[in-house]
Amino acid sequence: MKTSLPRPAWAPGIAAAAAATVVAYAVAHWVPALNPSIVAVILGALVTNLHLHRPVLHAGTRLAGKRLLRCAVVLLGLQLSLPELAHLGGRGLAVVAVTVAVTFTGTQVLARWLGVSPARGLLVATGFSICGASAVAAMEPVAGGDEEDTGVAVALVTLCGTLAIAVLPALRGPLGLNVADFGSWVGASVHDVGQTVATAQRVPGALTTAVVVKLTRVVLLAPLVASVGLAVRRRQRVLVPAGGVGDLAEEPHAKRRMPPPVPLFVAGFLLAIAVTSTGLLSPRVLADAKSVQSVLLVAALFGLGTGIHLPALFRTGRRSLVLGVASWALVAAIAYAGVRVAAL
């Protein structure tokens, strides 16, 4: 008598994510204006809000939204190499660093003014300042938010990054940007790598500069997450009253879940950059890794999309939407100013 192995609890949800990935790529093929990532987020939100996200799927979609997205972040490192940074020069690196720093800090200030939770503000700030959904995934372990916060942040960077594909090329003429400067502006301000490519391709000759600048922003992901992780650990080591007045003692660490200063997959991301920088990997291997990264990202975004509950989003959606649009405007304005100054 044959006995079948028990099916893993995550299998149905992973199968759903795989099916959604196929659908997302098919829709993007039929409608070139749509990116597979955008379609995946929409599909995930539809599944949840049409009450099709059954409990049997939860383990798998949660796995996709967390583990697969982190794997995609690691593979993203294979698209970067340290020699590429040399092409930017000191001014170019300064533009990228200032844009990231001002957007990251300014978005969190705006979140406080708007009454958006610190965790959601942190995730939105990371996504808009660095690289969209991948950056949100990297910051999620130390942000202290919930699935809804992550889903909203991903939805906002996806929405604004998609709008950038149409809006930024239309602004090139009025803003007086030549092809190279436009590529730098796109790379310094558009969120997701795929959205950056789609935006830059609309102006012939801008793509190479846009990708180099964009990937330089991505390099800042690891130090940013590490800095926030260390800050969270220091904040959690607070001194609390132990008994008498003025008598202070450190709260036992065992009672709290301390996030690591550098999540393991962020270390993997850095290792991937180092491996690519050696030049040992063939172009074919790097191209295959890029394709796998794209597929994993789309599947993961479907999983994150299932965390977007529209009723809950509508309750705080206006403030979150204002935050997203304001952050988008901020990163575009700072990047534009930096590009114009660097060109002087």
Side-chain angles (χ1 to χ4, degrees):
M1 180 178 178
K2 293 183 178 180
T3 58
S4 59
L5 294 174
R7 183 178 61 182
W10 46 260
I14 289 295
T21 301
V22 172
V23 172
Y25 275 100
V27 171
H29 176 74
W30 294 329
V31 186
L34 292 177
N35 185 288
S37 299
I38 300 167
V39 179
V41 173
I42 294 172
L43 287 174
L46 285 175
V47 165
T48 289
N49 292 281
L50 293 176
H51 306 291
L52 300 176
H53 192 219
R54 305 298 185 188
V56 70
L57 302 176
H58 290 184
T61 55
R62 190 177 300 112
L63 180 75
K66 290 183 178 291
R67 299 292 179 84
L68 294 188
L69 192 50
R70 294 174 186 181
C71 290
V73 171
V74 172
L75 291 177
L76 180 62
L78 294 178
Q79 299 178 35
L80 310 171
S81 66
L82 297 178
E84 289 176 330
L85 300 179
H87 294 292
L88 280 183
R91 287 191 175 186
L93 291 174
V95 169
V96 171
V98 170
T99 300
V100 169
V102 173
T103 304
F104 182 72
T105 304
T107 299
Q108 292 182 84
V109 172
L110 289 170
R112 286 196 292 271
W113 285 350
L114 292 167
V116 175
S117 69
R120 184 172 298 187
L122 174 59
L123 293 173
V124 171
T126 308
F128 277 85
S129 62
I130 301 286
C131 58
S134 299
V136 173
M139 189 62 76
E140 183 268 339
V142 298
D146 54 25
E147 290 183 0
E148 183 181 311
D149 290 325
T150 304
V152 169
V154 168
L156 289 174
V157 294
T158 301
L159 171 63
C160 294
T162 302
L163 292 175
I165 298 172
V167 173
L168 267 59
L171 293 176
R172 175 184 165 239
L175 293 177
L177 294 172
N178 60 33
V179 172
D181 288 345
F182 175 76
S184 296
W185 185 43
V186 170
S189 62
V190 180
H191 323 308
D192 180 76
V193 175
Q195 294 163 345
T196 299
V197 171
T199 306
Q201 281 179 335
R202 299 193 60 195
V203 175
L207 181 60
T208 300
T209 302
V211 170
V212 171
V213 174
K214 174 63 197 173
L215 294 182
T216 304
R217 277 172 71 197
V218 175
V219 172
L220 298 179
L221 174 63
L224 184 65
V225 173
S227 299
V228 174
L230 289 171
V232 169
R233 289 173 69 89
R234 285 196 298 267
R235 190 163 60 246
Q236 289 182 347
R237 291 196 181 100
V238 294
L239 295 177
V240 297
V245 177
D247 185 14
L248 301 177
E250 187 173 344
E251 183 181 348
H253 295 174
K255 293 183 180 180
R256 299 186 307 271
R257 180 178 176 270
M258 299 282 286
V262 182
L264 183 60
F265 69 97
V266 175
F269 167 79
L270 290 173
L271 178 61
I273 295 175
V275 170
T276 305
S277 300
T278 65
L280 297 176
L281 299 181
S282 68
R284 175 63 183 274
V285 170
L286 293 176
D288 290 344
K290 184 176 181 179
S291 297
V292 172
Q293 192 267 343
S294 177
V295 171
L296 290 177
L297 180 60
V298 172
L301 289 177
F302 169 77
L304 286 177
T306 61
I308 301 175
H309 299 271
L310 292 181
L313 179 59
F314 290 151
R315 285 197 296 271
T316 60
R318 183 177 301 176
R319 287 172 292 169
S320 296
L321 182 60
V322 170
L323 176 63
V325 173
S327 184
W328 179 33
L330 178 62
V331 69
I334 297 300
Y336 174 73
V339 169
R340 299 299 290 189
V341 170
L344 296 178

